[in-house]
Amino acid sequence: MQYDDILYEVRNGAAWITINRPEKMNAFRGRTCDELIHAIQRAGYTREIGVIVLAGAGDKAFCTGGDQSAHEGQYDGRGTIGLPVEELHNAIRDVPKPVIARVQGYAIGGGNVLCTICDFTIASEKAVFGQVGPKVGSVDPGFGTAFLARVVGEKKAREIWYLCRRYPAAEALSMGLVNAVVPHDQLDAEVQKWCDEIMERSPTAIAIAKRSFNMDTAHQAGIAGMGMYALKLYYDTEESREGVRAFQEKRPPEFRKYAK
Ligand code: 2NE
């Protein structure tokens, strides 16, 4: 597959997969998801690769989720909502290699979900985490919500989703969303250190441990598959379209008239 939206590079036995859309704050469109799925499976099932690093190009953002400029009630790719995002999540969960999110800036919306489901998240002091779904007419009905609660606890996960606040790296570390926070200019060295340490361990033991950790979250993959149908129906409503329009027009959304 030809990669237009991502970069694929092997460094000392680790595959670095970088979303390369800095002009869109590394938001993903349909094609980006397809390329990421391909690259993750390529690295995940190559013997010489011991670890996968997921990154975002530039200094501003790791990833800010679905590309809102490619969203009109449906994203621009394949699948139920025009973004095979649940397939991407499953690919990260299923590959037998650890996946490290390298977060140097915003990890917002679907970008925050990507870090949540990676095995590890290593962040720079400049990283900022948070959700935006209920602000922009969207939601992640799967790992991004249900699994987040397992990572940070029920109360915090609901706060993150219902309030859509932004959390600096130090706060993300204290809530367990991040494994380590380092000065910005030491981020790559720190990620490489984690890669090297992982690759000194038994790959088979790690692959079995990963499967075992994933075992009781299998139902979240099911929720995601079903939930995408609900999300598609939501995207077809005026309420969701108001969220997207408001983001594109840089104004606060007017949601109150849709109160249930
Ligand atoms: C990232 C954040 C917090 C940055 O805020 P700020 O105030 O620093 O910058 P600004 O002006 O909002 O953004 C800078 C430029 O980046 C673009 C903006 O439109 C803006 O473009 P210009 O005006 O300079 O041309 N930009 C940022 N994020 C983008 C995106 N996702 N798509 C397209 N353009 C984007 C702030 O921008 C923010 O909150 N962004 C998040 C936007 C968002 O709605 N993400 C999608 C959520 S839904 C989702 O991810 C998802 C899922 O998780 C599961 C299934 C389906 C969808």
Side-chain angles (χ1 to χ4, degrees):
M1 180 182 210
Q2 182 194 314
Y3 297 147
D4 295 330
D5 288 8
I6 67 166
L7 304 170
Y8 186 97
E9 188 193 348
V10 178
R11 294 187 204 169
N12 302 323
W16 286 61
I17 299 170
T18 304
I19 303 174
N20 190 24
R21 308 188 77 218
E23 72 290 354
K24 296 279 182 190
M25 287 217 178
N26 296 318
F28 46 73
R29 56 178 177 164
R31 177 162 188 96
T32 325
C33 291
D34 280 323
E35 291 182 16
L36 285 170
I37 293 165
H38 185 275
I40 285 162
Q41 286 175 340
R42 171 180 167 191
Y45 298 101
T46 298
R47 277 184 86 88
E48 293 71 29
I49 303 295
V51 189
I52 298 169
V53 177
L54 189 57
D59 247 10
K60 284 196 181 142
F62 163 73
C63 173
T64 59
D67 182 344
Q68 296 293 48
S69 61
H71 181 1
E72 288 170 17
Q74 175 89 2
Y75 286 95
D76 68 339
R78 66 186 175 81
T80 316
I81 60 162
L83 271 186
V85 75
E86 71 275 36
E87 283 179 42
L88 172 58
H89 295 168
N90 285 326
I92 294 171
R93 303 289 295 169
D94 288 345
V95 282
K97 314 276 165 73
V99 184
I100 299 178
R102 171 209 180 266
V103 182
Q104 86 293 22
Y106 285 118
I108 298 283
N112 192 54
V113 179
L114 291 179
C115 324
T116 304
I117 62 177
C118 282
D119 297 83
F120 301 109
T121 297
I122 313 291
S124 127
E125 284 169 344
K126 292 189 182 169
V128 176
F129 298 80
Q131 269 310 328
V132 283
K135 223 160 91 178
V136 300
S138 189
V139 68
D140 187 298
F143 288 108
T145 41
F147 181 65
L148 180 67
R150 182 168 138 170
V151 177
V152 300
E154 276 287 340
K155 301 284 183 189
K156 205 68 194 178
R158 286 167 198 244
E159 174 192 310
I160 289 170
W161 271 95
Y162 300 170
L163 274 62
C164 299
R165 290 178 178 164
R166 295 181 200 172
Y167 302 89
E171 212 173 327
L173 180 67
S174 71
M175 66 172 93
L177 196 55
V178 164
N179 293 86
V181 178
V182 295
H184 195 66
D185 61 354
Q186 291 170 29
L187 183 59
D188 283 351
E190 183 69 16
V191 171
Q192 192 59 57
K193 205 172 93 187
W194 283 64
C195 291
D196 294 345
E197 211 172 318
I198 290 165
M199 285 187 282
E200 285 166 8
R201 308 284 174 256
S202 157
T204 305
I206 288 177
I208 295 170
K210 180 163 177 169
R211 280 262 176 247
S212 176
F213 282 124
N214 289 355
M215 196 72 86
D216 70 342
T217 63
H219 62 285
Q220 280 141 13
I223 295 170
M226 290 285 287
M228 288 301 157
Y229 287 96
L231 185 56
K232 174 57 189 146
L233 293 174
Y234 175 47
Y235 280 171
D236 285 340
T237 66
E238 262 310 302
E239 181 180 350
S240 168
R241 285 168 194 262
E242 164 59 10
V244 178
R245 260 193 318 263
F247 178 77
Q248 290 168 345
E249 293 167 11
K250 296 187 187 293
R251 61 170 171 80
E254 292 173 17
F255 282 137
R256 285 311 300 159
K257 60 182 171 217
Y258 303 106
K260 299 278 184 271

